[in-house]
Amino acid sequence: MLGILFGNSKELPKPVGKYVVGITQLDFTDKSRKKVFPFEEDNAFRKIPVTIFYPAESNQGKDSAPYSSPELLEVLSKMTFGLFSKNVAKVKTNCYKNVPIASSEDNYPVIIFNHGYSGHTMQSTILCSDLASSGYIVVSVGHPYEASGVKYLDGRVIKMERTIQENLKSVTSLKYLQKIFKASTKEYYSDSKAMETSEYILKNNEILTNNVKIWVDDSIFVADQLEALNKGEIESIFNNKFKLNLGMGITGHSYGGVTSAQTCLNDHRFVAGINIDGATCGDFLYKDINTPFMLLGTHLSKNISRTTYIYNTKDTYIITLDNTQHFGYSDALFIFRQANLLNQIGKREKYEFREIVTNYHLKFFEKYLLTNQEIELKDLKYDGVEFRQK
């Protein structure tokens, strides 16, 4: 009944670009890091699964890949008291497993995507597919124990660690939530007030502030593996297929957006970054990330992520969308509409919402990753979108 009432989709919208979208998974083991969390075994190396969306020429007559697996979505179902159904795993994606990469170009530019806290590598399949169909290879990174779940190629599943879930509850006090609620106003805070709010959030989120370092290390390690894939040091369909001479782009939703900013600060192979409705954690609060960057999200985000806009010395943007809420910036916009019972999707028409998020990504990365300096992001015009640039 809820699915009918809220219009959940059984198939994700078609990608916007000219390419068919291929999808595959690779697992990378980082032997320089082990026992990242205290609850892990002493000799547990950090193992990171990635879902790769890429331009393909044909679906080869295959059925589209399923959205996920029920066991990976079980945590999300429990966290939402069953509102998020495990049946979401059956949603069709318009992505096709392990089809040949398109041969129309010698290689393709690379964007790394990071999911939100308690998210998963497929949580923004619509955006990743739109980018892949437009000629990018998008590498979605899974973060074990802090994702809702990751599933390795050998079948092993790691769900979000219970102690992490409990610790998260402890840092969201009533006072903290009241501060957040006030910052969600359409009012554009002064820079000093925005920084004060960001600082408050940072100090009251010790877990998230510390653990972003783990996500950044994951992203940097994945970038290292992509270089190895490109050189043929790891055999795959991606040998010589990454256009890495351009550098890499990075984007992410929520905590994944925080990871974008911190990664840009730490590793200059990342030449352009986007924070999709994330806050400020990590140690970039008063630092120049020295990278073209975009903040894209709700009115809340413009007031709790201002640091990048203030201190970054490269081109920086704040794009704020009216009538939107946090989870609408993921696939929940189409497959979890009952989240609006908690006002977590927003009231903007879903196809227009998707179009805005996709088009700002495409224009931004064309300008700063593909270095097309004729692109002007201000030329994108939508009602109810606040645009700031410096």
Side-chain angles (χ1 to χ4, degrees):
M1 180 63 182
L2 281 174
I4 296 172
L5 178 63
F6 287 93
N8 290 339
S9 301
K10 294 182 179 179
E11 181 176 358
L12 298 182
K14 303 289 185 186
V16 300
K18 67 179 183 179
Y19 292 102
V20 171
V21 178
I23 190 171
T24 195
Q25 178 177 331
L26 296 174
D27 296 345
F28 300 129
T29 301
D30 187 350
K31 294 189 176 179
S32 70
R33 290 189 295 159
K34 59 184 178 181
K35 198 175 183 179
V36 169
F37 294 100
F39 48 75
E40 293 185 87
E41 295 180 1
D42 289 344
N43 292 317
F45 290 116
R46 183 71 168 167
K47 188 173 183 179
I48 303 166
V50 297
T51 300
I52 303 179
F53 302 80
Y54 59 91
E57 289 174 347
S58 167
N59 62 18
Q60 295 192 319
K62 294 184 176 183
D63 291 332
S64 64
Y67 187 69
S68 188
S69 57
E71 60 264 38
L72 291 188
L73 300 177
E74 184 178 348
V75 172
L76 282 175
S77 181
K78 289 180 178 178
M79 289 175 71
T80 58
F81 304 102
L83 279 177
F84 188 95
S85 171
K86 289 183 283 185
N87 289 332
V88 167
K90 300 176 183 177
V91 169
K92 294 183 178 180
T93 63
N94 297 299
C95 303
Y96 301 90
K97 280 189 174 181
N98 302 320
V99 293
I101 193 166
S103 59
S104 55
E105 300 288 341
D106 292 336
N107 47 35
Y108 298 90
V110 175
I111 299 169
I112 286 182
F113 176 86
N114 285 282
H115 59 71
Y117 214 83
S118 78
H120 54 99
T121 63
M122 299 288 284
Q123 70 149 69
S124 293
T125 292
I126 296 170
L127 174 61
C128 293
S129 297
D130 281 347
L131 293 171
S133 71
S134 301
Y136 295 90
I137 294 176
V138 184
V139 182
S140 182
V141 182
H143 300 280
Y145 300 108
E146 294 176 289
S148 59
V150 299
K151 186 174 184 178
Y152 297 115
L153 291 171
D154 63 10
R156 186 164 62 103
V157 173
I158 293 180
K159 297 177 183 177
M160 191 175 189
E161 174 63 26
R162 185 178 299 276
T163 57
I164 289 175
Q165 292 183 52
E166 292 171 353
N167 286 337
L168 270 179
K169 293 177 184 177
S170 70
V171 301
T172 53
S173 65
L174 179 60
K175 184 179 179 183
Y176 171 83
L177 292 174
Q178 288 173 334
K179 191 91 170 181
I180 290 291
F181 180 76
K182 289 178 182 177
S184 68
T185 175
K186 290 184 73 171
E187 173 192 356
Y188 189 82
Y189 278 10
S190 67
D191 286 351
S192 60
K193 187 176 181 181
M195 291 304 294
E196 176 189 327
T197 306
S198 296
E199 201 169 59
Y200 176 85
I201 293 169
L202 189 69
K203 289 179 178 177
N204 284 274
N205 270 295
E206 183 178 351
I207 296 164
L208 297 183
T209 296
N210 291 336
N211 287 11
V212 71
K213 299 170 187 175
I214 297 172
W215 289 42
V216 170
D217 285 345
D218 289 349
S219 298
I220 290 173
F221 173 69
V222 167
D224 294 340
Q225 299 309 294
L226 297 183
E227 290 182 343
L229 285 169
N230 211 39
K231 295 174 183 175
E233 295 171 3
I234 303 172
E235 187 58 39
S236 77
I237 65 170
F238 299 109
N239 295 169
N240 298 311
K241 289 298 181 181
F242 300 135
K243 192 175 287 187
L244 296 179
N245 63 302
L246 299 174
M248 286 172 273
I250 186 167
T251 184
H253 175 241
S254 192
Y255 200 61
V258 174
T259 303
S260 292
Q262 186 70 50
T263 304
C264 286
L265 175 65
N266 290 14
D267 191 326
H268 292 298
R269 288 177 296 181
F270 294 90
V271 299
I274 299 177
N275 178 348
I276 309 171
D277 210 47
T280 301
C281 303
D283 61 9
F284 63 91
L285 184 62
Y286 290 103
K287 294 182 180 177
D288 175 10
I289 65 170
N290 196 35
T291 309
F293 206 84
M294 177 191 291
L295 305 169
L296 173 68
T298 60
H299 288 283
L300 171 63
S301 66
K302 73 186 180 187
N303 287 330
I304 64 173
S305 303
R306 188 82 57 79
T307 172
T308 316
Y309 191 75
I310 296 170
Y311 291 99
N312 189 22
T313 54
K314 300 295 186 181
D315 291 354
T316 316
Y317 302 84
I318 299 179
I319 314 298
T320 307
L321 281 62
D322 286 350
N323 299 318
T324 62
Q325 295 294 338
H326 188 62
F327 288 111
Y329 291 85
S330 70
D331 295 337
L333 179 65
F334 284 86
I335 64 175
F336 186 32
R337 303 245 354 134
Q338 56 266 43
N340 256 348
L341 287 170
L342 304 173
N343 192 29
Q344 290 298 307
I345 301 292
K347 297 178 181 179
R348 185 180 282 273
E349 198 279 323
K350 61 185 179 181
Y351 284 97
E352 183 194 43
F353 191 173
R354 173 271 192 110
E355 178 186 331
I356 293 169
V357 172
T358 290
N359 282 347
Y360 273 109
H361 272 76
L362 289 172
K363 292 293 186 183
F364 180 81
F365 285 123
E366 183 177 354
K367 184 176 181 70
Y368 295 106
L369 182 55
L370 302 186
T371 65
N372 181 354
Q373 295 305 310
E374 294 182 2
I375 293 291
E376 292 290 345
L377 274 71
K378 65 182 179 183
D379 291 342
L380 288 172
K381 304 290 185 183
Y382 295 98
D383 291 338
V385 174
E386 181 183 298
F387 177 90
R388 292 174 185 265
Q389 174 183 356
K390 80 172 187 73

